[in-house]
Amino acid sequence: MRLKDKVAVITGAAQGIGKATARLFHAEGAKLMLCDLEGGVLESAAKEVSAGSNSVNFLPCNVAKREECEATIQKAIEAFGHVDILVNNAGITKDNLLMRMSDDEWNMVIDVNLKGAFNFAKACVRPMMKQRYGRIINIASVVGLMGNPGQANYCASKAGLIGMTKSMAKELASRNILCNAIAPGFIKTRMTDVLPEEIKKSMLNMISIGRFGEPDEIAKVCLFLASDDISYVTGQVISVNGGLYM
């Protein structure tokens, strides 16, 4: 088991990439603290992932609120003694053209996608520094690298997440805390399911592999970045997009 006795905190864990990552981490021996804004869905996901074990805890959390993020990390430490891995996966979209985008649409996306990752990383850093070990994985996006019309807020949040990852990597490497990002392409999740069919077809034509990705395919890269196999890897952005952007 690649994560035996490790403790991982996963945000946005109720579905999609977060849930797939939780399932894989648990299968690889990790103890989990799962959080998401949707408490009922989160509880169901936690029960499914735990399969009756006592190694999965959960706590509803608004990642944009620092005190809730700090409370989640504290609960993880109280339950399991330490925190080794953080997966910042929580994210939302509020798409609109720049000229029509409201302040609320901009602020909500930045607060969840970028500030939320900052809040959780900051809450984790001190205990990780004390134990001189940590893995922080930020889920960015291909559009944080290439841009996308109608998503100035989302693209800015994900590009910012990439920049933050690199800065964190430089600050924390001396304490054996390794920080990396994953930039998924078009992955089949609830967020992408709601897109109009014409947009899906247009996107599919741009993907070299000729299909959309699965949440499990991102989870496997998360597992690699969470493991001890990456003792010399930090500050990197791993693109997982089927050849959509190279």
Side-chain angles (χ1 to χ4, degrees):
M1 289 187 174
R2 297 170 75 180
L3 301 182
K4 182 174 174 56
D5 297 326
K6 294 290 193 293
V7 177
V9 176
I10 303 174
T11 73
Q15 57 196 344
I17 292 169
K19 183 179 177 181
T21 301
R23 187 185 302 115
L24 182 57
F25 278 20
H26 190 253
E28 290 287 342
K31 300 172 184 177
L32 304 177
M33 172 60 73
L34 308 181
C35 70
D36 201 288
L37 190 60
E38 300 181 60
V41 182
L42 176 63
E43 183 175 3
S44 297
K47 288 180 179 178
E48 179 183 335
V49 169
S50 68
S53 74
N54 61 358
S55 57
V56 179
N57 278 7
F58 68 94
L59 187 67
C61 175
N62 181 348
V63 300
K65 295 184 177 180
R66 184 181 60 196
E67 62 276 12
E68 294 190 19
C69 302
E70 292 172 347
T72 302
I73 297 302
Q74 186 58 40
K75 183 174 179 180
I77 293 172
E78 290 171 358
F80 302 122
H82 53 100
V83 171
D84 305 295
I85 302 158
L86 169 65
V87 181
N88 278 315
N89 170 69
I92 62 170
T93 58
K94 295 288 180 182
D95 296 350
N96 213 337
L97 294 175
L98 179 64
M99 64 181 294
R100 297 174 182 165
M101 187 172 290
S102 68
D103 286 353
D104 284 345
E105 288 170 334
W106 174 270
N107 290 335
M108 288 175 66
V109 170
I110 297 297
D111 281 352
V112 172
N113 298 4
L114 185 55
K115 184 182 176 183
F118 165 77
N119 286 340
F120 259 102
K122 187 173 182 179
C124 278
V125 162
R126 194 174 299 276
M128 286 183 175
M129 289 179 72
K130 287 182 178 179
Q131 67 194 21
R132 300 188 71 85
Y133 183 93
R135 301 287 188 265
I136 297 176
I137 303 162
N138 293 323
I139 305 300
S141 171
V142 65
V143 301
L145 299 169
M146 63 182 280
N148 202 36
Q151 289 193 312
N153 49 3
Y154 187 76
C155 295
S157 71
K158 295 301 185 177
L161 194 54
I162 289 170
M164 188 173 78
T165 300
K166 293 177 180 290
S167 295
M168 287 164 48
K170 291 187 175 184
E171 288 184 20
L172 301 173
S174 64
R175 297 299 184 96
N176 194 32
I177 302 171
L178 307 182
C179 308
N180 294 285
I182 301 173
F186 196 107
I187 308 301
K188 290 190 285 186
T189 65
R190 190 177 72 172
M191 185 181 292
T192 56
D193 284 344
V194 299
L195 292 174
E197 286 301 317
E198 60 268 23
I199 292 179
K200 292 181 183 179
K201 290 179 182 178
S202 175
M203 192 68 71
L204 186 60
N205 290 334
M206 298 169 61
I207 300 173
S208 300
I209 289 180
R211 64 172 177 84
F212 301 139
E214 298 287 345
D216 287 345
E217 293 176 298
I218 307 302
K220 290 173 183 177
V221 182
C222 284
L223 174 62
F224 168 65
L225 293 177
S227 74
D228 290 334
D229 295 338
I230 64 153
S231 56
Y232 204 57
V233 180
T234 195
Q236 302 306 302
V237 182
I238 300 181
S239 293
V240 189
N241 61 44
L244 171 63
Y245 181 76
M246 303 182 192

